[in-house]
């Protein structure tokens, strides 16, 4: 009973923070229209407050890779709406995000997403989708990084789904590296009915270079990236499982 109340309270608080920040930043981004640092400001603010409210532990690894990063196509696993909290803590400066066109109808946040300078992809209209991809090329050529969830949709913790080709075409056509970032499986490690819900591992992997890779090799490039990310997610999940088991053993030993 208490756990369900705690869960509901956390959900309400996070939504309140989300919409309050969206309302505030909507006016900020009107002044800073399409500034390439907008995502950094919103992401880190929302992430910091949310992590404090939820009392989760987020272990970020490989941040030095992003600190040294030049523009790239960032690819990350996509599990749920919770991703905004996790990845907001690590999004690099000068990074744009590709989202679904339907986001524009999402009150406040959809407008903030657009005002921040992000790109909206209409998957149902090929001509308009190609127009968005041309804007992707322009952004990358101007030195911005691009954040894409290559699965195209949320996995809801059911493993890394197959990748779509858009992120890989963008990297190849603009001769920029792919920058994988992975997060441990959320549904296995977090229980928001507890006062301390659990721990998340986020790791920035080594960039995957695309120089010298032809468009004809895109399938093998996708397979390689998928395998690297899937294997690392498994490693992170196993690490959390081992830590959880160790904590249980220590707790039993202490009480006996």
């Amino acid at each position: 009973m208490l756990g369900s109340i705690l869960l509901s309270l956390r959900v309400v608080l996070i939504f309140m923070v989300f919409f309050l920040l969206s309302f505030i930043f909507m006016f900020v981004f009107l002044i800073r229209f399409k500034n390439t640092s907008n995502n950094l400001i919103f992401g880190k603010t929302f992430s910091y407050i949310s992590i404090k409210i939820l009392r989760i532990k987020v272990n970020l690894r490989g941040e030095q890779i992003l600190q040294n990063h030049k523009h790239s196509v960032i690819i990350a696993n996509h599990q749920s709406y919770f991703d905004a909290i996790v990845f907001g803590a690590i999004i690099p400066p000068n990074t744009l995000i590709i989202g679904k066109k339907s986001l524009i109808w999402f009150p406040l946040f959809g407008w903030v997403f657009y005002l921040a300078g992000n790109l909206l992809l209409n998957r149902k209209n090929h001509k308009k989708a190609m127009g968005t991809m041309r804007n992707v090329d322009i952004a990358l050529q101007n030195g911005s990084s691009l954040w894409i969830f290559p699965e195209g949709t949320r996995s809801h913790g059911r493993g890394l789904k197959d990748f779509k080709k858009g992120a890989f075409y963008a990297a190849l056509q603009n001769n920029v590296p792919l920058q994988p970032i992975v997060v441990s499986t959320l549904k296995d490690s977090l229980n928001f009915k507890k006062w301390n819900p659990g721990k998340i591992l986020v790791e920035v992997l080594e960039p995957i270079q695309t120089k010298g890779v032809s468009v004809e090799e895109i399938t093998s490039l996708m397979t390689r990236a998928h395998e690297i990310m899937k294997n690392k997610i498994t490693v992170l999940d196993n690490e959390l499982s081992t830590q959880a088991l160790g904590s249980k053993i220590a707790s039993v030993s202490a009480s006996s």
Side-chain angles (χ1 to χ4, degrees):
M1 179 64 178
L2 288 177
S4 297
I5 294 173
L6 183 58
L7 171 62
S8 299
L9 180 61
R10 281 171 164 157
V11 170
V12 170
L13 285 173
I14 291 300
F15 270 98
M16 287 177 62
V17 168
F18 181 75
F19 281 105
L20 178 60
L21 288 178
S22 295
F23 180 78
I24 293 171
F25 279 105
M26 182 174 63
F27 295 100
V28 174
F29 292 168
L30 277 170
I31 300 171
R32 297 168 48 88
F33 184 53
K34 294 192 175 183
N35 187 301
T36 55
S37 293
N38 285 345
N39 285 318
L40 174 71
I41 297 170
F42 184 91
K44 287 192 177 297
T45 303
F46 177 58
S47 178
Y48 178 81
I49 296 172
S50 298
I51 288 172
K52 293 296 184 182
I53 290 174
L54 295 172
R55 293 181 59 83
I56 56 176
K57 295 180 180 179
V58 180
N59 188 331
L60 303 177
R61 301 172 178 176
E63 289 182 275
Q64 70 281 359
I65 295 174
L66 286 182
Q67 291 172 0
N68 298 327
H69 104 288
K70 297 179 181 178
H71 67 296
S72 59
V73 173
I74 300 169
I75 51 176
N77 56 321
H78 191 19
Q79 299 182 63
S80 68
Y81 289 117
F82 194 84
D83 292 336
I85 295 174
V86 179
F87 291 123
I90 203 169
I91 188 170
N94 197 22
T95 299
L96 302 179
I97 303 169
I98 285 191
K100 294 183 293 185
K101 182 74 172 181
S102 58
L103 276 176
I104 199 68
W105 303 109
F106 194 88
L108 289 179
F109 177 70
W111 310 332
V112 169
F113 188 85
Y114 169 73
L115 293 171
N118 295 308
L119 305 173
L120 295 165
L121 183 64
N122 189 340
R123 294 176 183 154
K124 297 181 180 179
N125 187 314
H126 180 73
K127 184 177 180 180
K128 290 183 178 180
M130 289 301 99
T132 299
M133 295 313 294
R134 283 192 290 273
N135 290 333
V136 165
D137 293 339
I138 292 171
L140 288 169
Q141 290 163 13
N142 287 339
S144 293
S145 289
L146 194 71
W147 189 299
I148 302 179
F149 294 111
E151 296 164 276
T153 186
R154 297 177 295 276
S155 67
H156 300 291
R158 293 191 291 266
L160 192 66
K161 302 177 71 172
D162 291 338
F163 287 169
K164 299 184 183 300
K165 293 182 178 180
F168 301 89
Y169 273 125
L172 289 176
Q173 290 174 353
N174 294 281
N175 197 28
V176 297
L178 293 157
Q179 177 57 73
I181 302 178
V182 295
V183 61
S184 55
T185 304
L186 302 176
K187 75 178 186 66
D188 294 338
S189 56
L190 297 178
N191 183 353
F192 290 111
K193 291 184 178 181
K194 295 182 177 180
W195 181 244
N196 294 309
K199 182 178 180 180
I200 301 171
L201 301 179
V202 183
E203 186 160 344
V204 182
L205 309 182
E206 290 296 329
I208 300 173
Q209 301 300 326
T210 62
K211 187 175 182 180
V213 180
S214 66
V215 174
E216 289 73 22
E217 298 173 280
I218 192 168
T219 301
S220 60
L221 180 65
M222 291 169 62
T223 301
R224 180 186 168 203
H226 190 279
E227 183 177 352
I228 289 172
M229 293 174 67
K230 183 178 180 179
N231 289 343
K232 177 55 69 172
I233 292 169
T234 299
V235 170
L236 297 180
D237 288 347
N238 289 340
E239 181 179 337
L240 286 176
S241 296
T242 301
Q243 290 177 5
L245 179 60
S247 297
K248 288 181 180 178
I249 294 174
S251 178
V252 170
S253 299
S255 61
S256 60

